[in-house]
Amino acid sequence: MATRLAQRLPTTGRVNERDLLRLGATLGLVGWTGTAALAWLDTPAAGLLALVWWALPVAGMVYAIARHATNPVRFSTPLLGWGVLNGTATAVTLWAVSVGAPAGTVPLVWLSDLTLGYAWTAVALGRAGRPARTLGYAAAALACTVAVGLGAASVTGGDGGGYSVVAVLHVVPLALDARGVGRRRR
């Protein structure tokens, strides 16, 4: 299937794994910082504004993957997992905003998404024989698990603080991996 998709949707191949990690960290920082600001300002219709705010970063990431990522990156096991998880978290977020779910719901949804995504990535990297990177993503999954537990206990809250926690846990692991922390030097 990947071969047929690669033939029907050719790529420039200009975005490698590290570039995609950098882009993900940058877009996550922009998206979650804007979301936190809207929550702190207690703007009317903040949920809808945050969804609109996220439209450009999400579209940018999808475009970069579809048109510019190398095929090994586009069709990688970690990216497949993240696609399913982020799609599910987006659907739950849309539902939460539409029904006016309690303020802490959306940060917990995304902390759970990050927990499962980092765990999925750790397993995939472990199977690929990348122990240092596996350890980094396993540590990120553990940190997110703790944040989910604290969020469930209302420590992270639903205000800008909850979104700030999501921002840190989204950006830091990706940025560290993009910088090569935990990778063997060649």
Side-chain angles (χ1 to χ4, degrees):
M1 183 169 152
T3 303
R4 279 189 274 166
L5 240 135
Q7 291 170 344
R8 291 179 188 205
L9 186 61
T11 177
T12 65
R14 293 187 306 213
V15 176
N16 63 29
E17 183 181 49
R18 284 188 178 184
D19 294 335
L20 196 62
L21 289 166
R22 285 183 193 106
L23 181 62
T26 302
L27 295 178
L29 181 62
V30 168
W32 291 119
T33 302
T35 303
L38 288 168
W40 275 321
L41 295 173
D42 200 23
T43 308
L48 290 173
L49 290 172
L51 291 173
V52 170
W53 177 257
W54 272 99
L56 189 59
V58 169
M61 190 66 155
V62 169
Y63 179 76
I65 291 166
R67 293 296 299 141
H68 299 292
T70 62
N71 283 332
V73 170
R74 287 198 308 175
F75 303 116
S76 67
T77 301
L79 202 55
L80 171 67
W82 282 106
V84 170
L85 289 167
N86 289 351
T88 302
T90 298
V92 173
T93 299
L94 291 169
W95 169 83
V97 170
S98 70
V99 301
T105 303
V106 174
L108 283 174
V109 165
W110 286 96
L111 287 170
S112 299
D113 172 80
L114 291 173
T115 300
L116 295 172
Y118 291 144
W120 173 269
T121 303
V123 169
L125 290 171
R127 289 182 177 164
R130 310 292 281 283
R133 291 182 69 205
T134 299
L135 183 59
Y137 282 106
L142 179 61
C144 291
T145 301
V146 170
V148 167
L150 293 174
S154 299
V155 174
T156 59
D159 60 358
Y163 293 112
S164 297
V165 171
V166 178
V168 168
L169 290 172
H170 178 141
V171 172
V172 171
L174 297 180
L176 289 174
D177 193 21
R179 294 271 306 154
V181 175
R183 295 179 193 235
R184 278 189 254 170
R185 300 289 180 216
R186 290 184 181 135

